[in-house]
Amino acid sequence: MASLVGSRVERKEDKRFLTGKGRYTADINLANQTYAIFVRSPHARASIKKINIDKALKSSGVVSILTGKEIADDKIGGLIAGWAIRSEDGTEMKCPGNPPLAKDNVNFVGDPIAVVIAESLAEAKEAAEKVEVDYKVLKAVTSTADAMNGDTIHEGIDKNLCFDWLLGDRQKVKEAFDKADKVISIDIINNRLIPNAMEPRACVADYNAASEEITLYTTSQNPHLSRLIMSAFGNVAPEHKLRVVAPDVGGGFGSKINVYNEDIVCSWAAKKINRAIKWVAERSESFLTDIHGRDHVTHAELAVTKDGKFLGFKNETIANLGAYARVFGTVTPTYLFGPCATGVYEIPAAYTNVKAVYTNTAPVDAYRGAGRPEATYTIERLVEKASMELGIDKTELRIKNFPTAFPFKQTLVHTVDSGDYVAGMEKAKQMADYKGFEARRKESEAKGKLRGIGVTSYFEACGIAPSAAVMSLGCGVGLWESAEVRFNPTGQVTVYTGSHSHGQSHQTTFAQIAADELGVPIENIDIVHGDTDKGTFGMGTYGSRSLAVGGIAIVNACKKIVEKGKRVTAKMLEANPEDVEFKDGEFIVSKSNKKKTIGEVAFACYLPGVRDEMKSPLPEGDEPGLKETSFYDPSNFSFPAGTHIAEVEIDPETGHVKLEKYTACDDFGRIINPMVVEGQVHGGLAQGIGQALYENAEYDETGQLMTGSYMDYTMPRADNFPEFNIGYTCTHATTNPLGVKGCGEAGAIAAPPTVMNAVIDALGGQEVTMPATAEKVWKACKNLKKSNAKAA
Amino acid sequence: MKDFNYHSAKDSKEASKLASSSSAFLAGGMTTIPSMKLGLATYKDLIDIKNIKKLSGIKVSGKSVTIGAATKHVEVSNSKDVKKAIPSLSSLAEGIGDPQVRNRGTIGGSIANNDPSADYPSACIALNATIHTNERKIEATKFFKGMFETALKKGELIEAIEFQIPEKSSYQKHPNPASRYAIVGVYVAKHKGDVNVAVTGAKSCVYNDKEMSKALSGNFSSSSIDGMDLDSSEMNSDMHASAEFRASLVVTQAKKAVDAC
Ligand SMILES: Cc1cc2nc3c(=O)[nH]c(=O)nc-3n(C[C@H](O)[C@H](O)[C@H](O)COP(=O)(O)OP(=O)(O)OC[C@H]3O[C@@H](n4cnc5c(N)ncnc54)[C@H](O)[C@@H]3O)c2cc1C
């Protein structure tokens, strides 16, 4: 049987999605359901003096109106930060309370205050407009850079500082800098982004008074984790009385990791009113209240010798957490950022210092890449600047500082098991026709255009992550993953995975893996996920962990099935279990060549007997049935890496940047389905290029979101991109049996510095901040013209 | 969205009669419906005019192209007749919004709305258009009054827009990267006697740039406006473009338009 792993198997989920048969949360309607609308703060910072719901209660169709007071009275807990981070001075991070409905203070525009539940959506909306809230408006803090000088947002949190964290050794770095021939320094801003999943968040909560069970259908990347948080911290219901279902989910990008206010409020309220409640975000609510991403202000320095060896690295960053610290809010700018900030280079001394600040803006949390795009942007912008200042070719300078042997002990935390960065660079250069660039630059110049080329070599730490490691660093949970492989008596297989697919194609790729492991046709394998009632537990999907952690759990569970199958076959064919081999779905006794198919074995496990004989196919110690479970805890992160090269052409008269060519050469380890990987790379690149050239979440000084719709927030479109030139090198991960690394975030990690390096190259080294909009680039072009004229 | 009454009018007369101070005509709905959804506008009555036969269709004579008010952007961009008579008009229509918008939005709706960054108003000014309503004919220069303001009276319905066929013309737009409306759009049209340089997006309302028109009427070459330093004091300034940038774009786009003619 030909192996399915490695081939372009068509997506099993496409038929359903392309024929409109997907079932998303908003598609779910329950009998006798009500509709919820949230009353939200129009102010970025205010204290609530009074809420008057009298008029609203009289509005037609209103079932109930609940506020922060009721939720506090019922002792429903708030939203939490999932990672505890310690400051350099040893003190614990400072987190404010974050009640699901604000009672005394609101801290960003969109912070929910009350929920209005009515018989219809229109009636809920109408009534919500009649809720009167008396605010005392306070001065908002919105700027990342100045947050520490602003008014104190949360009582007792001085300078709005959550923590002041250090990774690395300042003294060693100082010594390295003292020895340097040259110090390259850079000030950069990693612009704030809004994830913009195609499907807005939604939830439908139901209460069954007979079983005293709450069921929550919600747009989540990790239903079990949501249940755990809502139960343990939210006090909504004990875990066994709370079922969380995340059906088809239309994109997450990290924005659907968090348990949100609406999940808790609707679950709690459904029980209170003893009716189902449905809430679906409008797009403007998504803009305001989904977690945002990035938002760093960084000063970084690189100490180098004159022939281009890197000696030391400093990174001083202020990271905006927004109004509250949420699930991955505090780890994203620390352990997901600092370790990767030294990039793919051997740098003997390095440190990263991060001051995480609160502001009156939407909470900032993990968004595709989470910390690693910010890290890669820091080091790769710095290295590109070093190449300009040292006059060393940008690819040569990088190669000079690549590690030469693996495992590579990276400066700050990670031991990278495998890779070949030189091979990746050489292949990328060839794919991009790096050599031919100067000729293309001249052609552009002849047309009055400016052309630039930019390079990024990156690695990232994903496949998160060994539980003991992350819990030692402050994570509140272990990051293993589970799988259950269940045979039916008639031979089909159901695989429950704790990972969650919201665009990652698990239904296909996980089935490919199970088909190869079990020798069962892929049509006979169903991948099931997203329902806490269907599997034991799952940690969910983020940090490119589905395959490298969740996929391995499936492999391990399949291997247990095969082991049992060998024992059963041996018993049935009267052989030694050691003499039974398994191949392509058949158990073969090597000595006699007698065989049983895996279907026959499954059948025998469920129907363990024969007519007229008292005989069981099950060996002593084995129970009937064929189902195995694995809880897989990885031994290390996985480390995809690669080199990307971009070329841009700029029209100096309009400042328009045209991305002419984009080459991505990645090492994702073994590839399960090249078509799916291409899709992931394309999507990641679109978001990464979006960050570099188009996207920006902007608040004004009063904390109003200026980019609250697609009229002002530039989502990139297909015509913004060239045909992507995608290739791979492949070194297998040595830390998992599939040799896989993860591909979900690479594009978003590598693209921003790649594109910006190209833009800045075209602009003769002038800095521009992301996104490189027409006006910024136009201004830089004018400066360039002036300075060229002076030079001439 | 608040509840409203939906009417479908058979002819202009009925449409006009149904109109009140709390009604809107429903053409493509591409402006009206989003405004209602966002709560920016509420109407008691929406009067659908798409079924009024007279309002649709394209007629070309030797001198002019006349487009019915309810003609969709996609119909203008696909029309062989328009492509032949005034190719720049068909490419303007092709550059409006996205396919969904072009499949519903209409020329009459666009002009009646008079968004300061809409594309069609510049075509009306550059191509010396006449706006035919159910009551009168209005010259384009007298039609666009100010931001979202036109010469239309309550209940007055645009029936068609008649564009004069120029010798040469081109429309060049620098789109807002998010919405794709014009940050600046310049429509240059060379007629027998003179040259119009209609600018949209730059100020609160579309206008004919006199300075550039004059220079180009003298010498129809981009060199005659190259480096022109326009007064930016009345130009729009927002997060997407400052007034200074817009002033520069007006000249750049005008030059591009002349070169493309
Ligand atoms: C996402 C998006 C992108 C867009 N991008 C662009 C762009 O790039 N460039 C651009 O120019 N436009 C753009 N538009 C606007 C689009 O062109 C609309 O079609 C247009 O503004 C309104 O036309 P409509 O037919 O949809 O009018 P409607 O929304 O139906 O009506 C708009 C207004 O016009 C009035 N009206 C309609 N028809 C008549 C008539 N015959 N007589 C009198 N009054 C009438 C109505 O009463 C109403 O007040 C965009 C719109 C959207 C939603």
Side-chain angles (χ1 to χ4, degrees), chain A residues 35-36 44 110 202 363 368 430 444 484 610 631 661 667 699 720 737:
Chain A
Y35 296 82
R368 201 172 196 166
Q430 213 163 37
S444 295
E484 288 170 25
V610 251
F631 281 71
K661 277 159 76 96
D667 179 356
Y699 284 93
N720 291 126

Side-chain angles (χ1 to χ4, degrees), chain B residues 21 27 40 53 57 86 93 99 147 160 172-173 196 202 240:
Chain B
S21 56
L40 301 172
K53 286 231 172 62
I86 318 179
M147 194 153 132
Q172 297 291 331
K173 148 161 148 179
N196 287 334
H240 298 290

Side-chain angles (χ1 to χ4, degrees), chain A residues 196-219:
Chain A
N196 278 299
M198 197 184 287
E199 178 205 23
R201 288 191 295 113
C203 65
V204 181
D206 192 21
Y207 180 63
N208 181 331
S211 63
E212 298 179 340
E213 200 181 81
I214 295 171
T215 301
L216 176 70
Y217 300 89
T218 182
T219 48

Side-chain angles (χ1 to χ4, degrees), chain A residues 684-699:
Chain A
L685 290 178
Q687 283 172 307
I689 295 164
Q691 170 163 29
L693 296 179
Y694 307 109
E695 298 183 50
N696 195 37
E698 206 173 314
Y699 284 93

